[in-house]
């Protein structure tokens, strides 16, 4: 695992992420909270405790530097699972993922794992866990605090934050450390209009800076404006990938019709 | 400069590559330090009254148990009080590691779902926190020992290896229980009963030498028994502990450590889908 310090020179169109034949199958417990009690109670009844989830199925995708890839799909399509695979949080069950650079993730708002601690502590802890050094985080911290517009609230416990403040801080962290590859999972839609505008600008800035971005979003208009490429996932399969307008149109048509030829195959 | 390449491929059952795991753990050692610091700060251990409480709490606790002993036995002496406090403080190092460790993984859910890092850092931090809570109580004990006029000898230095083994044992237990709690979330609810039972089975409220011969099985089946006995021998009585106690506790710790760590490391890659 490498640090997040950015390697500044990237050649546009150089490969950033290569996903080859990736599949992900995992077993998870049926109960939200598996307990010993429920296990003992169901002893001998042959009740199943776990179910197998097939989250991703033979996905092939490339992301180049200087490009923005949008990922769309209905809930449960495997978008977040794919992002977690790219970030190295979940190892794939099949296939191979190659990542050429450092990855910063903003998956469902990563910072703030301990709500009792202040925003400042959480930023430091999140960064340290991601493999950054104390000095690295300290050098970015002022910029993070300023970008998030939290003011004095940065030293208040995170449980006192509103969801907007949460989102702003999370986005600021991910976008300020300037990783080679930035993954943003449904974080752009939070925050007020002003902050949304600001974060969109930052995304565009990062793109022109020759970094690779992967945006997971339900905000189709944003994707049309910012992405070079859009990939549409459905039930763990890659349905279509290509020019944003074409893919998004197809996806929106699918949403209204409820099914399409490509999806009916092989169900 | 070319960017570093990382490859993610399917893993087979069993352990991750230990060399690489260790390297990535070592590079994040500041996380463990920082995490413990913020956790202690959050519990107000950086303020005067917070620190006072850190000393007052174990003192009150030992006071309560002392009353219990006096009432049950009908008599008591200062040496017994020294033994009680020393053993109780060390016992609470293990107990705090367990209570801190049990939820360390499940409470780190947000971090686990969003960041790739060696998960073992979480129970490790819990033990570091427990050690920091233990250190001031050690000074309290030294003061008590001086007040009751218990002898200070060079043999007391045996307490250092004993303490190191206890920390190792705490770590082994914390790693194991944090992993078990991912699969059975109610373990955390059982834990108070477990630690309470362990306390009564260990030579804390009584001395190991006063135990009835028929109860000697306790010495064999309680991992905490030999280490607490050795601790009392060294730090309270100022004598060298029996080598067999040290070896026995080391064997317990190593066994639990390898078993728990194997369990943890081979499972940690699926924690993200289990939380």
């Amino acid at each position: 695992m490498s640090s997040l310090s950015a390697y500044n020179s990237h050649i546009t169109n150089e490969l950033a992420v290569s996903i080859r034949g990736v599949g992900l199958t995992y077993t998870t417990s049926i109960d939200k909270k598996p307990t010993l009690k429920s296990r003992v109670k169901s002893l001998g009844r042959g009740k199943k405790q776990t179910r197998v989830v097939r989250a991703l199925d033979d996905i092939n995708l490339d992301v180049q530097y200087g490009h923005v890839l949008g990922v769309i799909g209905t809930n449960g399509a495997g978008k977040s699972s794919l992002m977690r695979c790219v970030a190295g949080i979940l190892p794939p069950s099949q296939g191979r993922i190659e990542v050429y650079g450092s990855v910063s993730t903003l998956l469902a708002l990563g910072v703030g794992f301990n709500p009792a601690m202040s925003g400042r502590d959480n930023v430091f802890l999140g960064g340290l866990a991601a493999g950054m050094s104390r000095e690295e985080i300290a050098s970015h911290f002022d910029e993070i605090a300023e970008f998030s517009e939290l003011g004095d609230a940065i030293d208040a416990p995170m449980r006192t934050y509103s969801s907007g403040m949460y989102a702003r801080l999370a986005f600021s962290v991910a976008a300020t450390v300037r990783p080679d590859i930035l993954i943003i999972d449904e974080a752009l839609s939070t925050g007020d209009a002003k902050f949304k505008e600001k974060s969109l600008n930052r995304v565009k800035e990062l793109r022109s800076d020759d970094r690779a971005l992967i945006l997971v979003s339900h905000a189709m208009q944003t994707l049309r404006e910012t992405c070079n490429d859009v990939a549409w996932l459905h039930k763990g399969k890659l349905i279509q990938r290509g020019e944003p307008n074409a893919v998004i149109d197809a996806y929106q048509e699918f949403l209204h019709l409820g099914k399409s030829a490509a999806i009916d195959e092989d169900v | 400069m070319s960017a570093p390449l990382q490859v993610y491929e399917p893993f087979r059952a069993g352990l991750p590559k230990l060399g690489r795991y260790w390297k990535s753990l070592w590079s994040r050692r500041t996380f463990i330090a920082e995490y413990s610091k913020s956790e202690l700060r959050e519990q107000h251990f950086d303020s005067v009254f917070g620190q006072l409480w850190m000393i007052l709490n174990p003192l009150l606790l030992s006071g309560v148990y002392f009353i219990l002993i006096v009432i049950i036995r009908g008599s008591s002496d200062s040496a017994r009080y020294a033994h009680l406090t020393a053993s109780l403080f060390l016992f609470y190092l293990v107990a705090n590691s367990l209570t801190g460790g049990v939820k360390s993984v499940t409470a780190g859910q947000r971090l686990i779902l969003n960041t790739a890092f060696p998960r073992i850092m979480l129970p490790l931090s819990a033990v570091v926190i427990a050690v920091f809570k233990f250190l001031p109580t050690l000074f309290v004990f030294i003061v008590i020992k001086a007040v009751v006029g218990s002898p200070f000898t060079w043999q007391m230095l045996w307490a250092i290896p004993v303490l190191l083994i206890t920390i190792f044992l705490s770590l082994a237990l914390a790693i194991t229980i944090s992993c078990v709690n991912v699969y059975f979330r109610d373990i955390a609810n059982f834990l108070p009963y477990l630690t309470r039972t362990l306390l009564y089975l260990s030579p804390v409220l009584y001395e190991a030498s006063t135990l009835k011969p028929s109860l000697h099985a306790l010495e064999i089946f309680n991992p905490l028994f030999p280490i607490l006995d050795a601790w009392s021998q060294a730090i309270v009585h100022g004598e060298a502990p029996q080598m067999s106690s040290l070896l026995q506790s080391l064997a317990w710790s190593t066994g639990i450590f390898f078993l728990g760590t194997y369990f943890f490391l081979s499972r940690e890659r699926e924690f993200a889908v289990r939380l």
Side-chain angles (χ1 to χ4, degrees):
Chain A
M1 268 165 246
S2 71
S3 91
L4 284 177
S5 55
Y7 294 84
N8 282 313
S9 56
H10 291 299
I11 305 154
T12 313
N13 297 328
E14 198 185 21
L15 199 60
V17 180
S18 141
I19 302 170
R20 289 276 161 270
V22 164
L24 177 67
T25 318
Y26 58 80
T27 37
T28 184
S29 55
I30 290 173
D31 300 330
K32 183 94 183 71
K33 289 201 167 164
T35 57
L36 191 60
K37 193 174 136 201
S38 68
R39 190 65 161 262
V40 169
K41 268 162 89 182
S42 62
L43 259 185
R45 284 192 217 158
K47 201 177 131 209
K48 272 177 78 182
Q49 293 293 329
T50 55
R51 69 196 162 99
V52 175
V53 179
R54 189 150 180 75
L56 295 172
D57 190 5
D58 195 25
I59 304 278
N60 290 290
L61 266 178
D62 286 326
V63 186
Q64 280 91 17
Y65 277 110
H67 281 230
V68 180
L69 172 73
V71 180
I72 56 174
T74 51
N75 292 334
K79 304 184 296 285
S80 293
S81 297
L82 183 61
M83 295 309 112
R84 292 206 168 108
C85 286
V86 173
I89 296 163
L90 280 174
S93 319
Q94 291 105 38
R96 181 182 167 92
I97 298 173
E98 290 174 6
V99 178
Y100 300 86
S102 62
V103 183
S104 169
T105 45
L106 188 48
L107 302 165
L109 313 183
V111 282
F113 85 102
N114 191 336
M117 290 179 191
S118 68
R120 183 188 298 270
D121 284 349
N122 271 298
V123 168
F124 271 95
L125 288 176
L128 289 172
M132 295 171 74
S133 73
R134 247 198 91 81
E135 295 73 36
E136 250 177 293
I137 306 166
S139 69
H140 286 302
F141 190 80
D142 290 338
E143 200 188 337
I144 292 172
E146 198 196 334
F147 193 88
S148 67
E149 298 172 11
L150 282 173
D152 293 340
I154 195 89
D155 285 311
M158 282 195 78
R159 66 185 141 76
T160 63
Y161 285 23
S162 70
S163 54
M165 288 160 82
Y166 229 103
R168 260 153 45 198
L169 184 59
F171 182 85
S172 308
V173 172
T176 311
V177 296
R178 296 185 180 275
D180 297 325
I181 300 154
L182 176 59
I183 300 173
I184 301 177
D185 191 349
E186 292 176 29
L188 281 176
S189 40
T190 38
D192 54 25
K194 191 175 145 227
F195 191 78
K196 222 155 122 181
E197 178 80 39
K198 195 165 140 185
S199 40
L200 264 180
N201 285 338
R202 173 53 69 99
V203 166
K204 286 174 188 160
E205 210 178 295
L206 286 169
R207 181 175 61 169
S208 56
D209 216 15
D210 277 343
R211 287 167 207 279
L213 274 117
I214 307 177
L215 288 181
V216 177
S217 182
H218 293 291
M220 296 303 154
Q221 198 50 43
T222 312
L223 292 179
R224 281 180 205 270
E225 283 170 21
T226 47
C227 297
N228 307 84
D229 250 333
V230 168
W232 167 17
L233 293 183
H234 188 76
K235 292 192 176 156
K237 290 195 174 111
L238 183 64
I239 302 297
Q240 204 179 342
R241 191 233 161 128
E243 204 271 318
N245 287 324
V247 179
I248 293 174
D249 286 343
Y251 174 63
Q252 283 179 328
E253 195 184 333
F254 158 77
L255 284 183
H256 292 301
L257 289 175
K259 59 180 190 174
S260 90
I263 291 148
D264 281 347
E265 254 174 44
D266 205 24
V267 173
Chain B
M1 187 157 46
S2 74
L5 168 68
Q6 286 160 73
V7 178
Y8 303 118
E9 279 183 310
F11 67 90
R12 295 184 215 317
L15 296 172
K17 288 198 179 86
L18 288 178
R20 208 198 294 167
Y21 192 89
W22 172 252
K23 241 175 82 186
S24 103
L25 182 65
W26 182 247
S27 69
R28 284 168 174 78
R29 61 193 181 279
T30 36
F31 172 86
I32 298 170
E34 196 69 20
Y35 182 52
S36 327
K37 238 194 280 172
S38 346
E39 189 75 38
L40 288 171
R41 189 163 55 222
E42 189 222 313
Q43 295 177 17
H44 305 295
F45 287 143
D46 57 337
S47 70
V48 178
F49 285 103
Q51 279 170 355
L52 209 62
W53 175 246
M54 220 152 134
I55 292 168
L56 211 58
N57 184 34
L59 265 181
L60 290 174
L61 207 62
S62 63
V64 169
Y65 280 115
F66 191 62
I67 294 173
L68 184 76
I69 295 174
V70 170
I71 289 177
I72 289 179
R73 291 182 50 100
S75 71
S76 200
D77 50 62
S78 53
R80 187 163 292 279
Y81 184 64
H83 165 81
L84 172 69
T85 44
S87 310
L88 198 64
F89 293 168
L90 192 71
F91 179 84
Y92 267 85
L93 167 62
V94 181
N96 283 336
S97 303
L98 276 171
T99 40
V102 69
K103 284 191 174 169
S104 59
V105 170
T106 42
Q109 185 179 6
R110 285 193 94 99
L111 207 58
I112 287 177
L113 286 179
N114 294 291
T115 315
F117 67 95
R119 314 305 192 203
I120 213 159
M121 282 175 7
L122 296 170
L124 209 69
S125 307
V127 175
V128 172
I129 292 168
V131 171
F132 274 112
K133 285 185 181 169
F134 167 76
L135 289 179
T137 64
L138 200 56
F139 291 107
V140 173
F141 171 72
I142 299 296
V143 173
I144 291 176
K145 190 175 161 75
V147 169
V148 302
S150 165
F152 283 85
T153 65
W154 285 110
Q155 302 290 349
M156 278 175 69
L157 289 177
W158 277 102
I160 296 168
V162 172
L163 180 59
L164 291 178
I165 294 173
T166 312
I167 294 173
F168 184 41
L169 179 65
S170 306
L171 182 64
L173 289 170
I175 290 171
T176 311
I177 202 159
S178 67
C179 184
V180 172
N181 192 48
V182 174
Y183 297 92
F184 305 110
R185 298 293 163 85
D186 44 0
I187 290 296
N189 301 345
F190 292 133
L191 196 62
Y193 303 103
L194 184 73
T195 48
R196 191 52 65 88
T197 313
L198 267 179
L199 174 65
Y200 297 150
L201 292 180
S202 306
V204 175
L205 304 182
Y206 48 87
E207 290 204 38
S209 52
T210 61
L211 204 63
K212 272 191 227 156
S214 58
L215 288 173
H216 275 305
L218 285 182
E219 290 177 28
I220 301 165
F221 294 109
N222 179 0
L224 293 181
F225 201 102
I227 198 72
L228 281 163
D229 186 26
W231 175 253
S232 174
Q233 286 297 321
I235 205 163
V236 182
H237 300 283
E239 297 161 5
Q242 283 171 326
M243 213 25 112
S244 65
S245 302
L246 286 184
L247 290 178
Q248 204 186 333
S249 49
L250 197 60
W252 264 114
S253 316
T254 318
I256 300 174
F257 180 78
F258 278 112
L259 215 72
T261 312
Y262 178 80
F263 188 45
F264 194 102
L265 291 188
S266 59
R267 296 281 177 152
E268 73 159 39
R269 283 158 295 187
E270 67 159 35
F271 283 175
V273 298
R274 290 281 182 170
L275 289 171

